[in-house]
Amino acid sequence: MSLEDEGFLSAEISEWVARFRGKFSDWFNLADRLNRAGQQIVLRAEITTDRGAAEPKLIGLLLLVRTLSNFQGSLLLTERGMIVEARTLVRCCLENVFCLGALLRGDTKFVKEMVGSEVSRRKAMANWMLNSKSSVSSQEMAERLRKYVQHMTETWDSTQQMNFERVAERSEVHLLYLHYKLLSGDSAHPTVTALERYIIQAEGQGSTHSVQWGPDYGEANIPDTLETACNAATAACIIFTEMINDAEGNRQVAEIAEEYAQLRDRKAASTQ
């Protein structure tokens, strides 16, 4: 069935994948190479520890795996022209990078903060359920929730949910926070800016606006989306290879980073 009938689920989308991968081959080829390098870093990583899940290097590995998964998802969406969805996943990549950067600097201290943030999140969810009567089906359930909150409060002196602006400030990649804010506003949240992507502005007072959607509406944002995605994935790989002293992985990603810089500069020059 057609794109009009099934949207992005239509089999016709394969034609757009071929088109976009051909038109933006430089960026897609770079992203594919970066992805393979990242996968090799994960496969080479050997984390041995007596700290269990509190080991900073293990947390770093999990963050890199999550970053690569988010990165791969963003590529699959970008090649289909699903720009809003792709950029939302790139935003996830940046969150991972901020955590990796803070982890590299803060070691076990940041791991404790991550756990504290999880405790705070769970407490907030339980309190919300207690305050929302429709979410609690019985007095027994309410009592279990109150005991759960009390236990968390007694176990943890003070906790607060993670603030990614503060996390970014603690890392060497804090300048990427601007990209994070841009992606939050133009894709991840239903802001006016994000919704404007779907409308064709009509000229003249009283004119009827048209709604646009499909793989072609975000084509102009494909290079920028791939650039930011590669920037985030590169940062994640470099930080983790420094964390575990993976010289080979660091060298490979550094070479890809040089090509990235050349593509970025060429893109910037073409828009001037």
Short mmCIF file of all heavy atoms in Angstrom, two decimals, residues 12-70:
data_model
loop_
_atom_site.label_atom_id
_atom_site.label_comp_id
_atom_site.label_asym_id
_atom_site.label_seq_id
_atom_site.Cartn_x
_atom_site.Cartn_y
_atom_site.Cartn_z
N GLU A 12 6.71 1.31 0.25
CA GLU A 12 7.29 2.33 -0.63
C GLU A 12 8.46 3.06 0.03
O GLU A 12 9.25 3.70 -0.66
CB GLU A 12 6.22 3.35 -1.03
CG GLU A 12 5.17 2.80 -1.98
CD GLU A 12 4.15 3.86 -2.38
OE1 GLU A 12 4.27 5.01 -1.87
OE2 GLU A 12 3.28 3.57 -3.21
N ILE A 13 8.55 2.95 1.36
CA ILE A 13 9.60 3.68 2.07
C ILE A 13 10.99 3.22 1.64
O ILE A 13 11.97 3.96 1.75
CB ILE A 13 9.43 3.54 3.60
CG1 ILE A 13 10.14 4.69 4.33
CG2 ILE A 13 9.94 2.20 4.10
CD1 ILE A 13 9.52 6.03 4.10
N SER A 14 11.11 1.97 1.15
CA SER A 14 12.42 1.45 0.71
C SER A 14 13.00 2.30 -0.41
O SER A 14 14.23 2.44 -0.52
CB SER A 14 12.29 -0.01 0.26
OG SER A 14 11.40 -0.13 -0.82
N GLU A 15 12.14 2.89 -1.24
CA GLU A 15 12.62 3.75 -2.32
C GLU A 15 13.24 5.02 -1.76
O GLU A 15 14.23 5.53 -2.30
CB GLU A 15 11.46 4.10 -3.26
CG GLU A 15 10.83 2.88 -3.92
CD GLU A 15 9.59 3.25 -4.73
OE1 GLU A 15 9.35 4.47 -4.93
OE2 GLU A 15 8.88 2.33 -5.15
N TRP A 16 12.66 5.52 -0.68
CA TRP A 16 13.20 6.72 -0.06
C TRP A 16 14.51 6.42 0.66
O TRP A 16 15.42 7.27 0.69
CB TRP A 16 12.18 7.30 0.91
CG TRP A 16 11.02 7.91 0.22
CD1 TRP A 16 9.85 7.30 -0.14
CD2 TRP A 16 10.92 9.25 -0.25
NE1 TRP A 16 9.03 8.17 -0.79
CE2 TRP A 16 9.66 9.38 -0.88
CE3 TRP A 16 11.77 10.36 -0.21
CZ2 TRP A 16 9.24 10.58 -1.45
CZ3 TRP A 16 11.34 11.55 -0.77
CH2 TRP A 16 10.09 11.66 -1.39
N VAL A 17 14.63 5.24 1.24
CA VAL A 17 15.89 4.84 1.89
C VAL A 17 17.03 4.88 0.87
O VAL A 17 18.10 5.44 1.12
CB VAL A 17 15.77 3.44 2.52
CG1 VAL A 17 17.13 2.97 3.02
CG2 VAL A 17 14.76 3.45 3.66
N ALA A 18 16.79 4.28 -0.30
CA ALA A 18 17.81 4.26 -1.34
C ALA A 18 18.14 5.68 -1.81
O ALA A 18 19.31 6.02 -2.03
CB ALA A 18 17.33 3.41 -2.52
N ARG A 19 17.10 6.50 -1.93
CA ARG A 19 17.30 7.87 -2.39
C ARG A 19 18.14 8.68 -1.40
O ARG A 19 19.11 9.35 -1.79
CB ARG A 19 15.95 8.55 -2.60
CG ARG A 19 16.05 10.05 -2.87
CD ARG A 19 14.68 10.67 -3.02
NE ARG A 19 14.77 12.12 -3.03
CZ ARG A 19 13.73 12.93 -3.21
NH1 ARG A 19 12.53 12.42 -3.40
NH2 ARG A 19 13.88 14.24 -3.19
N PHE A 20 17.75 8.63 -0.14
CA PHE A 20 18.46 9.42 0.87
C PHE A 20 19.88 8.92 1.10
O PHE A 20 20.81 9.71 1.28
CB PHE A 20 17.68 9.44 2.18
CG PHE A 20 16.40 10.23 2.12
CD1 PHE A 20 15.31 9.89 2.90
CD2 PHE A 20 16.29 11.32 1.28
CE1 PHE A 20 14.14 10.62 2.86
CE2 PHE A 20 15.11 12.07 1.21
CZ PHE A 20 14.04 11.71 2.01
N ARG A 21 20.06 7.60 1.10
CA ARG A 21 21.41 7.06 1.31
C ARG A 21 22.31 7.40 0.12
O ARG A 21 23.52 7.52 0.28
CB ARG A 21 21.35 5.55 1.53
CG ARG A 21 21.07 5.20 3.00
CD ARG A 21 21.49 3.80 3.36
NE ARG A 21 21.55 3.63 4.80
CZ ARG A 21 22.65 3.66 5.52
NH1 ARG A 21 23.81 3.87 4.92
NH2 ARG A 21 22.62 3.49 6.82
N GLY A 22 21.73 7.54 -1.04
CA GLY A 22 22.51 7.95 -2.20
C GLY A 22 22.83 9.43 -2.17
O GLY A 22 23.98 9.84 -2.41
N LYS A 23 21.85 10.24 -1.87
CA LYS A 23 22.03 11.70 -1.87
C LYS A 23 22.96 12.17 -0.76
O LYS A 23 23.75 13.11 -0.96
CB LYS A 23 20.68 12.38 -1.74
CG LYS A 23 20.74 13.90 -1.86
CD LYS A 23 19.35 14.52 -1.88
CE LYS A 23 19.43 16.03 -2.06
NZ LYS A 23 18.07 16.64 -2.12
N PHE A 24 22.89 11.53 0.38
CA PHE A 24 23.71 11.93 1.53
C PHE A 24 24.70 10.82 1.89
O PHE A 24 24.92 10.52 3.06
CB PHE A 24 22.81 12.25 2.73
CG PHE A 24 21.75 13.28 2.44
CD1 PHE A 24 20.42 12.90 2.28
CD2 PHE A 24 22.09 14.62 2.28
CE1 PHE A 24 19.44 13.84 2.01
CE2 PHE A 24 21.11 15.57 2.01
CZ PHE A 24 19.79 15.18 1.86
N SER A 25 25.29 10.23 0.86
CA SER A 25 26.15 9.06 1.05
C SER A 25 27.37 9.35 1.92
O SER A 25 27.81 8.49 2.69
CB SER A 25 26.61 8.51 -0.31
OG SER A 25 27.30 9.51 -1.05
N ASP A 26 27.92 10.56 1.82
CA ASP A 26 29.11 10.88 2.63
C ASP A 26 28.81 10.75 4.12
O ASP A 26 29.57 10.13 4.87
CB ASP A 26 29.59 12.30 2.33
CG ASP A 26 30.25 12.41 0.96
OD1 ASP A 26 30.56 11.36 0.38
OD2 ASP A 26 30.44 13.55 0.49
N TRP A 27 27.68 11.31 4.54
CA TRP A 27 27.34 11.27 5.96
C TRP A 27 26.92 9.86 6.39
O TRP A 27 27.31 9.39 7.47
CB TRP A 27 26.21 12.26 6.27
CG TRP A 27 26.69 13.66 6.43
CD1 TRP A 27 26.49 14.71 5.59
CD2 TRP A 27 27.49 14.17 7.52
NE1 TRP A 27 27.10 15.84 6.07
CE2 TRP A 27 27.72 15.54 7.25
CE3 TRP A 27 28.03 13.60 8.66
CZ2 TRP A 27 28.47 16.36 8.11
CZ3 TRP A 27 28.77 14.40 9.52
CH2 TRP A 27 28.99 15.76 9.24
N PHE A 28 26.15 9.18 5.56
CA PHE A 28 25.73 7.83 5.92
C PHE A 28 26.92 6.86 5.97
O PHE A 28 26.99 6.00 6.86
CB PHE A 28 24.66 7.31 4.95
CG PHE A 28 23.27 7.74 5.28
CD1 PHE A 28 22.58 8.63 4.46
CD2 PHE A 28 22.64 7.27 6.43
CE1 PHE A 28 21.28 9.02 4.78
CE2 PHE A 28 21.35 7.67 6.75
CZ PHE A 28 20.67 8.55 5.93
N ASN A 29 27.83 6.99 5.03
CA ASN A 29 29.02 6.12 5.04
C ASN A 29 29.86 6.36 6.28
O ASN A 29 30.38 5.41 6.89
CB ASN A 29 29.86 6.36 3.78
CG ASN A 29 29.19 5.84 2.52
OD1 ASN A 29 28.31 4.99 2.59
ND2 ASN A 29 29.59 6.36 1.37
N LEU A 30 30.01 7.63 6.66
CA LEU A 30 30.76 7.95 7.89
C LEU A 30 30.06 7.35 9.10
O LEU A 30 30.70 6.75 9.96
CB LEU A 30 30.88 9.46 8.03
CG LEU A 30 31.65 9.93 9.28
CD1 LEU A 30 33.15 9.74 9.05
CD2 LEU A 30 31.34 11.38 9.60
N ALA A 31 28.74 7.49 9.16
CA ALA A 31 27.98 6.96 10.28
C ALA A 31 28.09 5.44 10.36
O ALA A 31 28.22 4.87 11.46
CB ALA A 31 26.51 7.37 10.16
N ASP A 32 28.06 4.77 9.21
CA ASP A 32 28.19 3.31 9.20
C ASP A 32 29.55 2.87 9.72
O ASP A 32 29.67 1.90 10.47
CB ASP A 32 27.97 2.78 7.78
CG ASP A 32 26.51 2.91 7.33
OD1 ASP A 32 25.63 3.05 8.20
OD2 ASP A 32 26.27 2.87 6.11
N ARG A 33 30.60 3.58 9.30
CA ARG A 33 31.95 3.24 9.76
C ARG A 33 32.08 3.48 11.26
O ARG A 33 32.69 2.68 11.98
CB ARG A 33 32.98 4.07 9.01
CG ARG A 33 33.18 3.65 7.55
CD ARG A 33 34.28 4.45 6.91
NE ARG A 33 35.51 4.35 7.69
CZ ARG A 33 36.37 5.36 7.85
NH1 ARG A 33 36.12 6.54 7.33
NH2 ARG A 33 37.48 5.17 8.54
N LEU A 34 31.53 4.57 11.72
CA LEU A 34 31.57 4.88 13.15
C LEU A 34 30.83 3.83 13.95
O LEU A 34 31.28 3.40 15.01
CB LEU A 34 30.96 6.27 13.38
CG LEU A 34 30.83 6.74 14.83
CD1 LEU A 34 32.18 6.75 15.53
CD2 LEU A 34 30.19 8.13 14.87
N ASN A 35 29.70 3.39 13.44
CA ASN A 35 28.92 2.36 14.12
C ASN A 35 29.71 1.06 14.23
O ASN A 35 29.73 0.42 15.29
CB ASN A 35 27.62 2.12 13.37
CG ASN A 35 26.78 1.04 14.01
OD1 ASN A 35 26.36 1.16 15.16
ND2 ASN A 35 26.55 -0.04 13.29
N ARG A 36 30.38 0.67 13.15
CA ARG A 36 31.17 -0.57 13.20
C ARG A 36 32.33 -0.45 14.19
O ARG A 36 32.64 -1.40 14.92
CB ARG A 36 31.70 -0.91 11.80
CG ARG A 36 30.62 -1.41 10.84
CD ARG A 36 31.22 -2.00 9.58
NE ARG A 36 31.86 -0.98 8.76
CZ ARG A 36 31.25 -0.28 7.80
NH1 ARG A 36 29.96 -0.49 7.56
NH2 ARG A 36 31.90 0.62 7.09
N ALA A 37 32.96 0.72 14.22
CA ALA A 37 34.05 0.94 15.18
C ALA A 37 33.53 0.85 16.61
O ALA A 37 34.17 0.25 17.49
CB ALA A 37 34.70 2.30 14.92
N GLY A 38 32.37 1.43 16.84
CA GLY A 38 31.77 1.37 18.17
C GLY A 38 31.43 -0.05 18.59
O GLY A 38 31.65 -0.44 19.74
N GLN A 39 30.91 -0.82 17.65
CA GLN A 39 30.58 -2.22 17.95
C GLN A 39 31.83 -3.01 18.33
O GLN A 39 31.80 -3.84 19.24
CB GLN A 39 29.89 -2.86 16.74
CG GLN A 39 28.48 -2.37 16.47
CD GLN A 39 27.50 -2.81 17.53
OE1 GLN A 39 26.73 -2.01 18.04
NE2 GLN A 39 27.51 -4.07 17.89
N GLN A 40 32.92 -2.74 17.63
CA GLN A 40 34.16 -3.44 17.94
C GLN A 40 34.70 -3.06 19.32
O GLN A 40 35.26 -3.89 20.03
CB GLN A 40 35.22 -3.14 16.86
CG GLN A 40 34.92 -3.79 15.52
CD GLN A 40 34.79 -5.30 15.64
OE1 GLN A 40 35.65 -5.97 16.21
NE2 GLN A 40 33.69 -5.84 15.10
N ILE A 41 34.50 -1.81 19.70
CA ILE A 41 34.92 -1.36 21.03
C ILE A 41 34.16 -2.14 22.10
O ILE A 41 34.74 -2.60 23.10
CB ILE A 41 34.70 0.16 21.19
CG1 ILE A 41 35.67 0.93 20.31
CG2 ILE A 41 34.87 0.58 22.65
CD1 ILE A 41 35.35 2.41 20.19
N VAL A 42 32.86 -2.30 21.89
CA VAL A 42 32.04 -3.05 22.84
C VAL A 42 32.48 -4.51 22.91
O VAL A 42 32.60 -5.09 24.00
CB VAL A 42 30.54 -2.96 22.45
CG1 VAL A 42 29.71 -3.93 23.28
CG2 VAL A 42 30.04 -1.53 22.64
N LEU A 43 32.73 -5.12 21.76
CA LEU A 43 33.11 -6.52 21.71
C LEU A 43 34.48 -6.76 22.36
O LEU A 43 34.72 -7.83 22.94
CB LEU A 43 33.13 -7.02 20.26
CG LEU A 43 31.75 -7.10 19.58
CD1 LEU A 43 31.91 -7.44 18.10
CD2 LEU A 43 30.87 -8.13 20.27
N ARG A 44 35.38 -5.79 22.26
CA ARG A 44 36.71 -5.93 22.85
C ARG A 44 36.72 -5.70 24.35
O ARG A 44 37.62 -6.16 25.05
CB ARG A 44 37.69 -4.94 22.20
CG ARG A 44 38.41 -5.44 20.99
CD ARG A 44 39.64 -4.57 20.69
NE ARG A 44 39.31 -3.17 20.63
CZ ARG A 44 38.93 -2.53 19.52
NH1 ARG A 44 38.80 -3.20 18.40
NH2 ARG A 44 38.65 -1.25 19.55
N ALA A 45 35.76 -4.96 24.84
CA ALA A 45 35.77 -4.55 26.24
C ALA A 45 35.65 -5.75 27.18
O ALA A 45 34.74 -6.57 27.05
CB ALA A 45 34.64 -3.56 26.51
N GLU A 46 36.54 -5.82 28.13
CA GLU A 46 36.50 -6.85 29.17
C GLU A 46 36.56 -6.16 30.53
O GLU A 46 37.59 -5.60 30.90
CB GLU A 46 37.67 -7.84 29.02
CG GLU A 46 37.61 -8.67 27.74
CD GLU A 46 38.74 -9.68 27.66
OE1 GLU A 46 39.52 -9.77 28.64
OE2 GLU A 46 38.84 -10.39 26.64
N ILE A 47 35.46 -6.19 31.24
CA ILE A 47 35.36 -5.52 32.54
C ILE A 47 35.38 -6.56 33.64
O ILE A 47 34.47 -7.39 33.75
CB ILE A 47 34.08 -4.68 32.64
CG1 ILE A 47 33.91 -3.78 31.41
CG2 ILE A 47 34.08 -3.86 33.92
CD1 ILE A 47 34.98 -2.76 31.23
N THR A 48 36.42 -6.56 34.44
CA THR A 48 36.49 -7.45 35.61
C THR A 48 36.51 -6.58 36.86
O THR A 48 37.28 -5.62 36.95
CB THR A 48 37.75 -8.32 35.56
OG1 THR A 48 38.91 -7.47 35.45
CG2 THR A 48 37.71 -9.25 34.36
N THR A 49 35.67 -6.92 37.82
CA THR A 49 35.55 -6.08 39.01
C THR A 49 34.96 -6.87 40.16
O THR A 49 34.28 -7.88 39.96
CB THR A 49 34.65 -4.86 38.72
OG1 THR A 49 34.50 -4.09 39.90
CG2 THR A 49 33.27 -5.32 38.25
N ASP A 50 35.24 -6.40 41.36
CA ASP A 50 34.61 -6.97 42.55
C ASP A 50 33.55 -6.02 43.11
O ASP A 50 33.00 -6.23 44.17
CB ASP A 50 35.65 -7.29 43.62
CG ASP A 50 36.50 -6.08 44.01
OD1 ASP A 50 36.25 -4.97 43.47
OD2 ASP A 50 37.41 -6.24 44.85
N ARG A 51 33.26 -4.95 42.34
CA ARG A 51 32.26 -3.97 42.77
C ARG A 51 30.86 -4.32 42.27
O ARG A 51 29.89 -3.67 42.64
CB ARG A 51 32.63 -2.57 42.25
CG ARG A 51 33.93 -2.01 42.79
CD ARG A 51 34.19 -0.66 42.16
NE ARG A 51 35.43 -0.06 42.61
CZ ARG A 51 35.91 1.09 42.17
NH1 ARG A 51 35.24 1.75 41.24
NH2 ARG A 51 37.04 1.57 42.62
N GLY A 52 30.78 -5.29 41.40
CA GLY A 52 29.48 -5.64 40.84
C GLY A 52 28.95 -4.54 39.95
O GLY A 52 29.68 -3.91 39.19
N ALA A 53 27.65 -4.27 40.06
CA ALA A 53 27.00 -3.29 39.19
C ALA A 53 27.43 -1.86 39.49
O ALA A 53 27.13 -0.94 38.73
CB ALA A 53 25.49 -3.41 39.33
N ALA A 54 28.15 -1.65 40.60
CA ALA A 54 28.61 -0.31 40.96
C ALA A 54 29.93 0.05 40.29
O ALA A 54 30.44 1.16 40.48
CB ALA A 54 28.74 -0.19 42.47
N GLU A 55 30.49 -0.85 39.50
CA GLU A 55 31.75 -0.59 38.82
C GLU A 55 31.56 0.49 37.75
O GLU A 55 30.76 0.34 36.82
CB GLU A 55 32.26 -1.88 38.17
CG GLU A 55 33.41 -1.69 37.20
CD GLU A 55 34.62 -1.04 37.83
OE1 GLU A 55 35.04 -1.50 38.91
OE2 GLU A 55 35.14 -0.08 37.23
N PRO A 56 32.30 1.62 37.86
CA PRO A 56 32.14 2.71 36.89
C PRO A 56 32.39 2.28 35.45
O PRO A 56 31.69 2.73 34.53
CB PRO A 56 33.19 3.73 37.35
CG PRO A 56 33.35 3.47 38.81
CD PRO A 56 33.22 1.98 38.95
N LYS A 57 33.36 1.40 35.21
CA LYS A 57 33.64 0.97 33.85
C LYS A 57 32.50 0.14 33.27
O LYS A 57 32.22 0.21 32.07
CB LYS A 57 34.95 0.18 33.81
CG LYS A 57 36.18 1.04 34.10
CD LYS A 57 37.45 0.21 34.06
CE LYS A 57 38.67 1.08 34.36
NZ LYS A 57 39.93 0.28 34.37
N LEU A 58 31.83 -0.64 34.13
CA LEU A 58 30.68 -1.41 33.67
C LEU A 58 29.53 -0.47 33.31
O LEU A 58 28.87 -0.64 32.27
CB LEU A 58 30.23 -2.38 34.76
CG LEU A 58 28.95 -3.18 34.45
CD1 LEU A 58 29.12 -4.00 33.18
CD2 LEU A 58 28.58 -4.07 35.63
N ILE A 59 29.30 0.54 34.15
CA ILE A 59 28.27 1.53 33.84
C ILE A 59 28.62 2.24 32.53
O ILE A 59 27.75 2.49 31.69
CB ILE A 59 28.14 2.56 34.98
CG1 ILE A 59 27.76 1.87 36.30
CG2 ILE A 59 27.10 3.63 34.62
CD1 ILE A 59 26.43 1.20 36.28
N GLY A 60 29.91 2.53 32.35
CA GLY A 60 30.34 3.17 31.11
C GLY A 60 30.07 2.30 29.90
O GLY A 60 29.62 2.79 28.85
N LEU A 61 30.31 1.00 30.02
CA LEU A 61 30.04 0.08 28.92
C LEU A 61 28.55 0.04 28.60
O LEU A 61 28.15 0.06 27.43
CB LEU A 61 30.54 -1.33 29.28
CG LEU A 61 30.25 -2.43 28.25
CD1 LEU A 61 30.89 -2.11 26.90
CD2 LEU A 61 30.75 -3.78 28.78
N LEU A 62 27.72 0.00 29.63
CA LEU A 62 26.28 -0.02 29.41
C LEU A 62 25.81 1.27 28.74
O LEU A 62 24.93 1.25 27.86
CB LEU A 62 25.55 -0.21 30.75
CG LEU A 62 25.85 -1.51 31.51
CD1 LEU A 62 25.09 -1.54 32.82
CD2 LEU A 62 25.51 -2.72 30.66
N LEU A 63 26.41 2.39 29.12
CA LEU A 63 26.05 3.67 28.50
C LEU A 63 26.47 3.69 27.02
O LEU A 63 25.76 4.23 26.17
CB LEU A 63 26.72 4.82 29.24
CG LEU A 63 26.08 5.21 30.58
CD1 LEU A 63 26.99 6.14 31.37
CD2 LEU A 63 24.72 5.89 30.35
N LEU A 64 27.62 3.08 26.72
CA LEU A 64 28.06 3.03 25.32
C LEU A 64 27.14 2.13 24.51
O LEU A 64 26.78 2.47 23.37
CB LEU A 64 29.50 2.53 25.22
CG LEU A 64 30.04 2.41 23.79
CD1 LEU A 64 30.00 3.76 23.07
CD2 LEU A 64 31.46 1.84 23.78
N VAL A 65 26.75 0.99 25.07
CA VAL A 65 25.82 0.09 24.37
C VAL A 65 24.51 0.81 24.10
O VAL A 65 23.95 0.72 22.99
CB VAL A 65 25.57 -1.18 25.21
CG1 VAL A 65 24.41 -1.98 24.64
CG2 VAL A 65 26.83 -2.04 25.26
N ARG A 66 24.02 1.54 25.09
CA ARG A 66 22.78 2.30 24.90
C ARG A 66 22.97 3.38 23.83
O ARG A 66 22.08 3.59 22.99
CB ARG A 66 22.35 2.94 26.22
CG ARG A 66 21.15 3.88 26.11
CD ARG A 66 20.75 4.42 27.49
NE ARG A 66 19.90 5.60 27.37
CZ ARG A 66 18.59 5.57 27.17
NH1 ARG A 66 17.97 4.41 27.07
NH2 ARG A 66 17.89 6.69 27.07
N THR A 67 24.12 4.04 23.84
CA THR A 67 24.39 5.07 22.84
C THR A 67 24.39 4.49 21.44
O THR A 67 23.78 5.06 20.51
CB THR A 67 25.74 5.75 23.10
OG1 THR A 67 25.75 6.30 24.42
CG2 THR A 67 26.00 6.87 22.10
N LEU A 68 25.06 3.36 21.25
CA LEU A 68 25.11 2.74 19.93
C LEU A 68 23.72 2.30 19.47
O LEU A 68 23.37 2.44 18.29
CB LEU A 68 26.08 1.56 19.94
CG LEU A 68 27.56 1.92 20.06
CD1 LEU A 68 28.40 0.67 20.23
CD2 LEU A 68 28.03 2.72 18.84
N SER A 69 22.94 1.79 20.39
CA SER A 69 21.58 1.38 20.05
C SER A 69 20.75 2.59 19.63
O SER A 69 20.03 2.57 18.62
CB SER A 69 20.92 0.68 21.24
OG SER A 69 19.60 0.29 20.94
N ASN A 70 20.85 3.69 20.40
CA ASN A 70 20.14 4.92 20.05
C ASN A 70 20.64 5.46 18.71
O ASN A 70 19.85 5.93 17.88
CB ASN A 70 20.36 5.99 21.12
CG ASN A 70 19.75 5.65 22.47
OD1 ASN A 70 20.20 6.14 23.50
ND2 ASN A 70 18.74 4.79 22.49
#
